[in-house]
Amino acid sequence: MDHRIISVGPNARVWIPDPARLVDAVLARSTGKKSSIHGESHWQRVAAAALALLPETPGADPALVFLFALFHDSMRFNDSFDPEHGPRAAVLGRELRGGTFELGDDEMDLLAFACEEHTNGGLSEDPTVGVCWDADRLNLWRVGFEPDPRFLSTRAARSEERIAWAYDLQQERFAWETLFQAFWPG
């Protein structure tokens, strides 16, 4: 399947010619893909949560959010204390840039920032970073923690209904192809 995914919005420069090839490249390099807590199924649920937040978050870049879901926990060494996994994920993103996907410099910097800082508990006014971090935090149910609205950046994620919805999301399984089609229909 030939996907030519280009971000929307002013000055956006993101191109993912073959999402399946990109996923395969991340999986080939990932140190944490098999984790039941932070592995590939979590990345897919982060992407699914982001899909719910994107329509309610104007200005968020779907392609960058997708890339965050794929990269953010890909370089974990373990499921406990690993404070450098986000920066390692950003390095992986920079290494794969130009091969399996294209980003402008500003977009790459934003993706790297989102990955590097996603575990530090911050909030973001940037809609793309906010959706990235909130999609990840809505998945805290998987480790027995209810997401706290005080630590969610977007209005879309802070609602009681969305937080309750995210609980049920933990039982869902997603295929990358299904997620590609949902991010970029048609």
Side-chain angles (χ1 to χ4, degrees):
M1 176 180 293
D2 181 38
H3 290 273
R4 298 195 187 281
I5 300 167
I6 301 173
S7 289
V8 295
N11 307 317
R13 295 181 300 156
V14 182
W15 184 50
I16 305 172
D18 185 347
R21 186 170 148 243
L22 170 60
V23 169
D24 289 345
V26 172
L27 289 171
R29 301 271 307 271
S30 174
T31 56
K33 64 185 168 230
K34 300 242 185 242
S35 166
S36 63
I37 296 172
H38 295 103
E40 183 180 10
S41 64
H42 166 60
W43 313 343
Q44 292 165 326
R45 283 192 302 277
V46 169
L51 284 167
L53 301 177
L54 282 165
E56 300 174 44
T57 312
D61 185 312
L64 287 179
V65 170
F66 175 81
L67 290 168
F68 171 84
L70 181 60
F71 282 106
H72 80 288
D73 278 348
S74 64
M75 299 306 290
R76 274 190 159 277
F77 290 151
N78 61 60
D79 285 326
S80 58
F81 188 70
D82 186 2
E84 295 302 311
H85 77 276
R88 286 192 303 270
V91 168
L92 178 61
R94 289 186 190 283
E95 290 173 356
L96 294 179
R97 176 187 178 200
T100 56
F101 68 97
E102 293 289 341
L103 290 179
D105 290 341
D106 291 343
E107 290 81 9
M108 186 67 238
D109 290 345
L110 191 61
L111 174 61
F113 172 77
C115 287
E116 291 165 354
E117 297 294 323
H118 80 275
T119 59
N120 292 336
L123 298 175
S124 180
E125 292 184 18
D126 180 275
T128 298
V129 175
V131 169
C132 290
W133 292 351
D134 288 357
D136 187 36
R137 292 174 186 164
L138 285 172
N139 278 272
L140 286 171
W141 288 110
R142 77 192 187 286
V143 291
F145 292 103
E146 180 175 348
D148 186 331
R150 294 175 301 161
F151 300 108
L152 297 170
S153 298
T154 65
R155 186 170 35 99
R158 288 190 294 264
S159 75
E160 288 181 30
E161 294 81 13
R162 180 66 66 209
I163 292 170
W165 167 87
Y167 177 82
D168 293 333
L169 181 67
Q170 303 314 298
Q171 306 310 311
E172 299 291 326
R173 296 291 174 255
F174 298 92
W176 286 116
E177 185 63 30
T178 303
L179 292 167
F180 304 152
Q181 292 172 3
F183 267 89
W184 301 282

